[in-house]
Amino acid sequence: MFARLFEGVSQQEGMMGVDWAGPVAAVTRRNVLRLFSAGVMANVLSGCRHDWPPAAACELPYPIVDVHCHFFNAADVPVEGLVRYVALREKLPEAKLSADPLQSKRLENALVVFLVTALGDVAPKAKAEDAILKKRVPRPSDAEFERRKDEQLRIAVKQLVALAGEQRASLTARSGAETPDYQGLLEQIGGTPGLPQGLQRRSGSVEEADVDALASAAKAHEQIGNYLSFVRLMQDYRENLAETYARIFASKCRFSMITPSILDFEKSIGGRASPQHDQIDVMDEIQQLVIKRHGIHMHSFVGFDPHREAQKRGSSLENVRYAIMEKGFIGVKIYPPMGFKAWGNADPKIDAALKRLYDWCRGNSVPIMAHAENSIGAGCGYGNMASPAYWKKLLDTNRYNDLRINLAHFGAFDEVIRPGAPTGVMVSCAQDKFSGPPTWEDIIGKTIGHGRRPNLFADLSYLSELVTDNTPGLHEKIRALLDKWLRDYDPDARHLMFGTDWSMMALEKDYNAYVPRIAQQLKEANVSEEDQQNIFWKNASRYLGLDRPGPTRQRLATYCRKRGLDASWLSQLEIA
């Protein structure tokens, strides 16, 4: 589940950012900086062509609203963070790189460096893509773009061979619990059938033909190849990500509306990313393309970072205002695991920054989406900051009961299914574990208070535990817990919403079948056809403020008219 992505870092003294302390981090930092200084990461971030899975059969007779998805690329988030906290999520797909936990950790740490190098800096910056979409500059040919992707993977292979050679020469290849095992990773790749044996033991350099062979072997590797596919996805144009989404999910299902969100992580995990203003502009262009090409209405969520806002009042809130009032955005996305709580922070400046956001959203009828699963923590125990208990604390002030809130990533019930288990592979401390009961789902249910808070919602995005995880008995456990939750807290199913969390879902096998599999699991959890309609679109309409005439519909209608788009669709989401 996307909820367990950002583990393995801690807060540096005096600033929010990645603490690269420790032998693994030191190696990662040293080699990444060496790559930058050598200039080899200038043409990096694309990737090779990928054959995306076909659209799965979909028989839902009603429209679908996806309240939680993403079309950002690797230029929109710090590259090291994208690899360490997004690509390397809570577990490697299907199997570890080694049955030995310590060896697996060393291989994973080597994989971080390999994937950072494979990503590089090739992904189109937001400003550059915006200029292309506005036809101010020509777009590079597909052949040239693919060539850059292929070349960057070759650079990563050469770097891996060099690092393995350095380790052999210094006799540190497998010493230390945290030391990246470059030699071991090279052997994993080199052991792929069809690769000349003994290649992985060469010293420091390889022939060009061997580089090609290693690159092909890495893509064919069951685990490593999965991450390289995600790397290639993150290297693409945002326009292409939207097109891929439409082809995989919407060509068979009847999608009415999607609300992708952009991120603002620079102050929390360090590194550089396309400025928020530029990301807003390019998403405005893509919103127009998606409706014209596919008939899917797309209105995005803008990121808000209270750290940025606390450092300079108005800096993050101005991005929110610009996106919502001028660029057709529909809501705001925040990430508490980046180092803050929804309410009750030790630093009063953070609460003051959040209060400005909450007041502005309440006054302008703008919904907020928050990451609400114990994961993606940018420091020791930071995943716990996403707890819905802090939203309950905010709502208990009775000042924000009319604020529409979505607590994302509902449904894994980790606190009773996996109590005491680490929240991810690359955890940073003992606090990065799932607590026992109550579940975060139960906290949300009690906060809803049997309909007392009709504006509090949760989404079922990236619920891989219920869809793609085939652990024996897991689906039955989650369905039983979901059935009980609905009976105890939400008998009319008016608070749960559907979301894919694509493109993050691309890390999972068979993600193209997410929609029909969620529908089937809901049916097996005794969710009625009427209640499924609530989950798949009606609750989203209520949450987004489209169920009746009001400020949101007025803003979107004005946006559509200014861009020559039909605004009559807004009435189709009205609920009597």
Side-chain angles (χ1 to χ4, degrees), residues 464-484:
S464 58
E465 291 87 345
L466 191 58
V467 176
T468 63
D469 191 325
N470 292 318
T471 301
L474 180 61
H475 292 181
E476 291 81 0
K477 288 180 182 178
I478 292 179
R479 288 199 302 264
L481 288 166
L482 178 59
D483 180 32
K484 184 178 186 303

Side-chain angles (χ1 to χ4, degrees), residues 402-423:
D402 54 349
L403 185 63
R404 301 193 305 279
I405 300 167
N406 171 25
L407 302 183
H409 303 299
F410 178 101
F413 296 93
D414 293 305
E415 291 74 26
V416 294
I417 289 180
R418 303 198 298 163
T423 57

Side-chain angles (χ1 to χ4, degrees), residues 63 65 254-257 291 295-297 533 537-538 541 546-548 553 566-576:
V65 177
R254 183 184 161 198
F255 274 73
S256 174
M257 185 177 185
I291 180 58
I296 302 172
H297 302 282
Q533 285 205 51
W537 76 273
K538 288 185 178 180
S541 183
L546 299 175
D547 59 320
R548 67 193 66 188
R553 284 172 58 169
D566 181 18
S568 63
W569 68 275
L570 290 164
S571 61
Q572 298 172 11
L573 292 177
E574 188 165 321
I575 301 173

Side-chain angles (χ1 to χ4, degrees), residues 451-511:
R452 188 165 57 90
R453 292 196 173 102
N455 294 316
L456 181 60
F457 299 84
D459 73 44
L460 303 175
S461 62
Y462 208 137
L463 190 50
S464 58
E465 291 87 345
L466 191 58
V467 176
T468 63
D469 191 325
N470 292 318
T471 301
L474 180 61
H475 292 181
E476 291 81 0
K477 288 180 182 178
I478 292 179
R479 288 199 302 264
L481 288 166
L482 178 59
D483 180 32
K484 184 178 186 303
W485 189 92
L486 286 167
R487 285 187 283 107
D488 289 348
Y489 303 117
D490 191 15
D492 296 324
R494 292 179 63 90
H495 295 272
L496 297 184
M497 302 182 294
F498 173 77
T500 60
D501 201 16
W502 201 85
S503 56
M504 299 301 102
M505 270 298 296
L507 287 160
E508 299 292 336
K509 289 185 176 181
D510 302 324
Y511 64 84

Side-chain angles (χ1 to χ4, degrees), residues 370-393:
H371 183 95
E373 215 250 359
N374 190 348
S375 66
I376 69 168
C380 175
Y382 279 21
N384 289 293
M385 293 186 177
S387 172
Y390 299 114
W391 288 100
K392 183 178 186 302
K393 187 173 183 178

